[in-house]
């Protein structure tokens, strides 16, 4: 710093001091832990590194000695040719001595009397300063005068403060408009920011506080509470030019520039009035300054926009760049940006920085390096089965120029800003997405951030630029959200966004965005899809295209509005029918036959509907008289006749993680009967109008029919019922179900594997089992389980819990029990999920529709059947061991019988146990539970009525206040609905547990090895 100050005093060109090469590399030799790099090797390497460090320190010391010697030589040379008047006394003799020294250098400054006489005769002398003024400056340490090689130099340190405040949404800077000298009545027009001379040796921060206090009247307490100094904006520039106030004297000015912000919110917080500086209205104001010599000045201030102040700062910035070898003349030519744009980017927007570094050739020369921190956001979404990525295709600048970019969303980070903090700002400024919409619709992909550095010449500035790039991925889980329409979704259309203000010098621009299909290697493939589901998605996409075409202005002028409207109605009608696949297949149009038949057409049509279509149940239900059964909601606690351990079981009824494996031994093989007492018992007395003895007798018979298999036993049925009930509550289905639907769901869960003998359907079919012959190889075991359940129910009135129901209610419960048990057939696993996805995206899907509730109840039961994969790792491993043991026993039978061993049943291939279990979770379980997680409706829907008589009753106040489900949009997509409810219990608990357990099967090798040995 001494060398730089002395060079300034000597009038030489201001050049950066070259840093010592050894010192600059020392920081690179340290590891993050603080150790010297390379010291982790052998002892000889450590010694070599330490010796190198010692030699570097010696080299530093030697260079420091050389620098000091050069400094002494410069001091001697300057002393020969320099006369300094930095600390004169205040007497007349010293003033005469200063005049003589200046005269010897050929400089004659007027005395105060001479200047006064000249001013009276003409106006030419006004504005010039006298010998006494210069003497006073030097005596007050406001300047220093030196004679170097016969030339008089005046050195001044000046502080320029840009005081900024936001007024009516725009930034204004405080400028001094006029200055009145009260002693001479002189007026001087300025239009400059706050300026203050720094005393020699004072710090600029201390001078800043003095300037605000003496020039603007802001005391220290007000400065601390209201003002905020932007130290990142501080920089120093040097100028040497002929003085406008002292003729024949060169003035060397060291200008310190800094930006200070007024925090108006803090002024309100601390109840501080800013009227004395014209705020909050931005009014002009006047302040009085008392100078050190006793003179008084009046300063007239005004708040103006920053353009004029900027121009002066930009000019100083250009001088700074030119002094360091930057070609200033190339700015603004061709594709180059202007100097003004670079200044705003560096010092106002703080989106880049400029510093001096050693040139790329590694010589002792230095160059300016521009550093830019970039955030590159890959915004993706799924529309149908296409994974789309947002790309910026074109930009239109404020001057009308068009730039072809073809890149992801690229955004510059501000100084000190992290990429995590910049993501919301990037979406808000570049796309116009409010932060509240970002929180609802955007989702950051964990682990997607990648960092890289690129060094190259900038395409916009004649400066080498280092780009520090963070690339992240953000996903839009639900492209059908209402807020996404402005961004081309869900259709994947192009759109335009505005950044900043449009107009001359406003730096605003328009961005043209388009959704592009990702490359195959980056596309996240969907696990499965059926042709039926693909057909439905294709219809939805066609509907979107027709809607977009109808919205065009040209459509009406060309007369296409009517045909497009008819086309849209037909597509929507087709979608509605396709969404209800069962109804569409079973629906038979017999109207034509009815019109042609003259006699008995009603009976014949009813016969056809009843016997020749799949709507037999509905037809039969329409013929049954109104039920007289009045169902009353009752969930009383069942407590009579409980076993000693029933309290523990009752406490765990609603706990997913309740360990039934651990509790089962406490009930002497009657876990299903005891569990059934708790969940089915409360529904029996009033909902089913049966005695508790009847329910207990039914449960005893069902529990006794379960065989002692490793997996498919009474404990598995109990666990299935526990998970099924939990899922039904989690998605809101239980609240939407009628009481009879809840009864049917519980009975189906408890009976879904009754009389199972430990072998699957494929085994029954391949061995020509009698059950396969009875049920024609179709859902063999599931049909047997359902038939066994009703054989038990209808075997005696003492076990028939449905006996007291009206015929149509009994038929309804039977139908739902059969459907539930048959739905557990794994051969139709993916078809069931696909049908549910399509139905969920249907325009009329609602929990008020009994068919939709029944379909969802079937999926809940399927989830309960394979739900042990969602349990904590320790419980899940025990269930997995049981099912694998049963599979291996089947494989042993197949091998003894000379049959091909079924998949996952080969004991000799058990080495792949971890991979097979992980694959089952990933490809079989996950799609089902993700489908259940996507169903977020039903929590606030009215409870349906069980019978026609009950339906005719007036609703209670609670039922009347319940909300109704809004009609779904025909343009929705399954992939959007799959991610719509990321915070639902099914997603947060079950799906999260599935991912965790799937990973553990590969990571916990000790458990896998132990299971393999035991099996």
């Amino acid at each position: 710093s001494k060398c730089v100050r002395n060079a300034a005093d000597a009038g030489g060109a201001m050049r950066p001091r070259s840093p010592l090469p050894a010192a600059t590399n020392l920081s690179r030799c340290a590891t993050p832990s603080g150790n010297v790099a390379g010291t982790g090797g052998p002892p000889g390497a450590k010694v070599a590194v330490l010796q190198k460090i010692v030699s570097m320190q010696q080299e530093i010391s030697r260079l420091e000695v050389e620098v000091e010697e050069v400094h002494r030589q410069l001091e001697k040379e300057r002393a020969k040719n320099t006369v300094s008047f930095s600390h004169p006394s205040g007497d007349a003799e010293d003033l005469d001595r200063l005049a003589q020294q200046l005269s010897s250098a050929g400089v004659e400054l007027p005395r105060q009397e001479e200047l006064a006489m000249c001013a009276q005769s003409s106006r030419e002398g006004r504005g010039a300063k006298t010998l006494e003024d210069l003497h006073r400056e030097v005596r007050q340490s406001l300047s220093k005068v030196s004679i170097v090689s016969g030339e008089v130099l005046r050195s001044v340190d000046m502080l320029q403060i840009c005081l900024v405040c936001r007024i009516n949404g725009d930034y204004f800077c405080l400028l001094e408009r006029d200055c009145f000298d009260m002693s001479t009545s002189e007026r001087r027009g300025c239009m400059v920011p706050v300026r203050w001379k720094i005393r020699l040796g004072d710090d600029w921060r201390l001078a800043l506080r003095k300037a605000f206090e003496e020039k603007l009247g802001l005391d220290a307490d007000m400065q601390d509470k209201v003002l905020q100094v932007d130290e990142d904006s501080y920089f120093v520039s040097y100028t040497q030019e002929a003085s406008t106030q002292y003729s024949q004297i060169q003035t060397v000015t060291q200008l310190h520039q800094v930006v200070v912000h007024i925090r108006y919110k803090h002024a309100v917080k601390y109840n501080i009035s800013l009227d004395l500086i014209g705020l909050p209205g931005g009014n002009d104001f006047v302040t009085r300054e008392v100078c050190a010599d006793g003179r008084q000045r009046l300063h007239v201030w005004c708040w103006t926009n920053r353009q004029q102040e900027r121009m002066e700062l930009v000019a100083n910035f250009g001088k700074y760049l030119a002094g360091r070898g930057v070609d200033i003349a190339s700015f603004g030519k061709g594709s180059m940006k202007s100097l003004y744009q670079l200044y705003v980017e560096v010092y106002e927007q703080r989106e880049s920085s400029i510093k001096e570094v050693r040139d790329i050739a590694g010589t002792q020369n230095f160059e300016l390096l521009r550093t830019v921190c970039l955030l590159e956001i890959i915004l993706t979404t799924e529309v149908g089965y296409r994974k789309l990525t947002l790309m910026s295709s074109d930009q239109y600048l404020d001057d009308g120029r068009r730039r072809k970019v073809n890149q992801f969303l690229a955004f510059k980070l501000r100084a000190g800003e992290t990429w995590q903090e910049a993501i919301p700002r990037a979406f808000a400024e570049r796309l116009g997405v409010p932060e509240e919409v970002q929180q609802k619709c955007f989702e950051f992909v964990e682990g997607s951030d990648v960092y890289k550095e690129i060094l190259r010449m900038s395409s916009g500035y004649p400066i080498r630029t280092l780009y520090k790039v963070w690339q992240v991925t953000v996903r839009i889980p639900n492209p059908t959200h209402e807020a996404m329409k402005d961004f081309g979704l869900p259709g994947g259309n192009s759109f335009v966004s505005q950044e900043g203000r449009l107009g001359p010098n406003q730096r605003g621009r328009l961005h043209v965005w388009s959704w592009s299909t990702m490359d195959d290697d980056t596309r996240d493939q969907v696990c499965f899809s059926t042709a039926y589901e693909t057909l439905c998605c294709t219809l939805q996409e066609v509907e979107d295209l027709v809607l977009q075409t109808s919205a065009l202005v040209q459509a009406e002028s060309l007369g296409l509005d009517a045909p497009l409207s008819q086309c849209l109605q037909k597509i929507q009608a087709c979608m509605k029918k396709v969404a209800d696949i069962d109804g569409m297949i079973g629906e038979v149009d017999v109207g034509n036959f009815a019109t042609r038949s003259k006699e008995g057409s009603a009976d014949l049509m009813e016969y056809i509907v009843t016997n020749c279509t799949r709507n037999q149940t509905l037809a039969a239900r329409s013929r049954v008289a109104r039920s007289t059964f009045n169902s009353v909601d009752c969930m009383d606690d069942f407590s009579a006749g409980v076993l000693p351990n029933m309290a523990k079981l009752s406490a765990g009824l609603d706990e997913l993680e309740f360990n039934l494996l651990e509790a089962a031994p406490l009930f002497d093989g009657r876990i299903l009967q005891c569990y059934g007492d708790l969940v089915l018992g409360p529904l029996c007395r009033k909902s089913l109008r049966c005695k508790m003895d009847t329910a207990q007798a039914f449960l005893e018979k069902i529990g006794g029919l379960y065989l002692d298999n490793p997996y498919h036993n009474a404990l598995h049925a109990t666990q299935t019922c526990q998970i099924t009930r939990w899922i039904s509550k989690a998605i809101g289905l239980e609240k939407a179900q009628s009481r009879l639907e809840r009864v049917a769901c519980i009975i189906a869960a408890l009976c879904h594997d009754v009389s199972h003998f430990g072998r699957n359907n494929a085994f029954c079919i391949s061995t020509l089992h009698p059950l396969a012959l009875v049920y024609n190889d179709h859902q063999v075991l599931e049909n047997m389980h359902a038939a066994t359940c009703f054989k038990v129910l209808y075997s005696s009135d003492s076990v028939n819990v449905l006996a007291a129901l009206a015929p149509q209610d009994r038929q309804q419960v039977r139908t739902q029990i059969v459907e539930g048990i048959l739905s557990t057939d794994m051969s139709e696993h993916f078809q069931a999920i696909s049908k549910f996805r399509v139905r969920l995206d249907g325009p009329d899907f609602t929990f008020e529709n009994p068919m939709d509730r029944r379909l969802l109840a079937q999926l809940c039961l399927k989830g309960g059947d394979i739900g042990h994969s969602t349990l904590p790792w320790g419980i899940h491993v025990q269930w997995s061991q049981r099912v694998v043991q049963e599979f291996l026993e089947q494989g042993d039978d197949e091998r003894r019988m000379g049959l091909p061993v079924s998949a996952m049943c080969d004991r000799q291939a058990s080495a792949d146990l971890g991979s097979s279990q992980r694959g089952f979770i990933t490809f079989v379980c996950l799609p089902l539970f993700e489908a259940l997680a996507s169903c977020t409706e039903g929590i606030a829907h009215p409870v349906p009525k069980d019978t026609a008589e009950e339906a005719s009753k007036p609703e209670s106040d609670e039922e009347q206040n319940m909300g109704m489900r809004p009609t779904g949009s025909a343009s929705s997509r399954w992939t959007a609905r799959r991610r719509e409810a990321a915070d639902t219990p099914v997603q947060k608990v079950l799906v999260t547990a599935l991912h965790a357990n799937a990973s553990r099967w590969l990571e916990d090798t000790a458990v896998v090895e132990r299971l393999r040995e035991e099996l």
Side-chain angles (χ1 to χ4, degrees), residues 8 82 128 173 180 182 209 227 229 243 380 513 533 610 790 799 931:
T82 302
C173 177
F180 294 92
M182 302 296 290
R209 299 182 72 89
L227 303 184
V229 181
S243 175
T380 66
W513 303 94
E533 191 172 1
T610 304
F790 283 96
V799 297

Side-chain angles (χ1 to χ4, degrees), residues 164-344:
V164 178
C165 180
R166 191 162 188 171
I167 303 174
N168 296 328
D170 200 0
Y171 286 97
F172 283 73
C173 177
L174 183 63
L175 297 182
E176 184 180 5
R177 176 183 295 172
D178 295 294
C179 178
F180 294 92
D181 192 327
M182 302 296 290
S183 59
T184 62
S185 299
E186 289 186 8
R187 173 182 175 274
R188 176 167 53 89
C190 308
M191 292 305 291
V192 294
V194 181
R195 286 197 170 191
W196 185 260
K197 287 184 179 179
I198 304 176
R199 292 182 180 272
L200 298 179
D202 283 358
D203 183 66
W204 67 268
R205 297 174 183 83
L206 178 61
L208 182 140
R209 299 182 72 89
K210 290 182 179 179
F212 282 134
E213 184 174 358
E214 298 188 18
K215 269 203 167 185
L216 296 180
L218 302 178
D219 57 32
D221 182 64
M222 186 179 294
Q223 294 182 41
D224 293 336
K225 293 179 179 178
V226 176
L227 303 184
Q228 181 180 16
V229 181
D230 183 5
E231 297 207 10
D232 291 333
S233 66
Y234 171 79
F235 77 97
V236 181
S237 59
Y238 299 90
T239 59
Q240 179 176 333
E241 57 189 0
S243 175
T244 58
Q245 298 174 328
Y246 300 102
S247 60
Q248 302 177 339
I249 295 180
Q250 291 285 319
T251 299
V252 178
T253 303
Q254 181 174 334
L255 185 63
H256 306 257
Q257 302 182 70
V258 69
V259 176
V260 178
H261 295 271
I262 294 179
R263 298 180 293 183
Y264 190 72
K265 290 184 179 180
H266 286 229
V268 176
K269 175 182 178 181
Y270 294 108
N271 196 23
I272 297 176
S273 175
L274 298 179
D275 292 342
L276 71 161
I277 56 174
L279 294 178
N283 305 319
D284 295 358
F285 62 95
V286 179
T287 60
R288 175 181 294 183
E289 176 191 9
V290 180
C291 303
D293 56 0
R295 291 187 298 177
Q296 296 185 12
R297 293 176 182 168
L298 292 180
H299 301 277
V300 181
W301 304 92
C302 62
W303 291 98
T304 62
N305 60 32
R306 301 194 60 189
Q307 194 61 28
Q308 184 171 354
E309 176 263 341
R310 281 173 176 161
M311 292 301 102
E312 184 176 351
L313 293 175
V314 169
N316 293 332
F317 181 57
K319 295 177 182 178
Y320 169 78
L321 297 179
R324 284 147 183 82
V326 178
D327 184 11
I328 300 299
S330 62
F331 280 98
K333 292 184 178 180
S335 61
M336 289 291 179
K337 297 181 181 179
S338 65
L339 178 64
Y340 172 78
Q341 289 176 299
L342 179 60
Y343 171 82
V344 171

